[in-house]
Amino acid sequence: MVRGTGHGRRLGAQGRGAIAAGLARGDSLASIARFLGVAVSTVSREVAAGGGRQAYDPQARHARACSMVCVSPL
């Protein structure tokens, strides 16, 4: 299980990389979620938002997520 994949309950770059690796191996979303220690729905939403199993790009997803969450302080 990979813990500390992001800030608090969010997926980080490491978690998204693990999702991409699992998808490439043909792992189920449930087994990827178990490995990461997150809910299957978290992985399912992440993969769907990233274009699905065939198109998932962890770098693009992380950049998108970071642009929504990681704001610089003034």
Side-chain angles (χ1 to χ4, degrees):
M1 178 179 339
V2 175
R3 292 281 183 192
T5 56
H7 301 295
R9 298 171 53 110
R10 297 185 185 114
L11 286 172
Q14 182 182 9
R16 289 184 174 93
I19 290 172
L23 293 174
R25 284 191 304 269
D27 294 350
S28 69
L29 298 182
S31 68
I32 295 169
R34 273 192 305 275
F35 177 75
L36 291 173
V38 299
V40 177
S41 60
T42 300
V43 176
S44 177
R45 283 192 302 268
E46 175 67 19
V47 172
R53 284 185 164 269
Q54 301 300 319
Y56 185 75
D57 178 357
Q59 290 86 12
R61 282 296 302 144
H62 189 68
R64 172 77 175 133
C66 209
S67 72
M68 295 173 68
V69 176
C70 303
V71 268
S72 301
L74 296 175

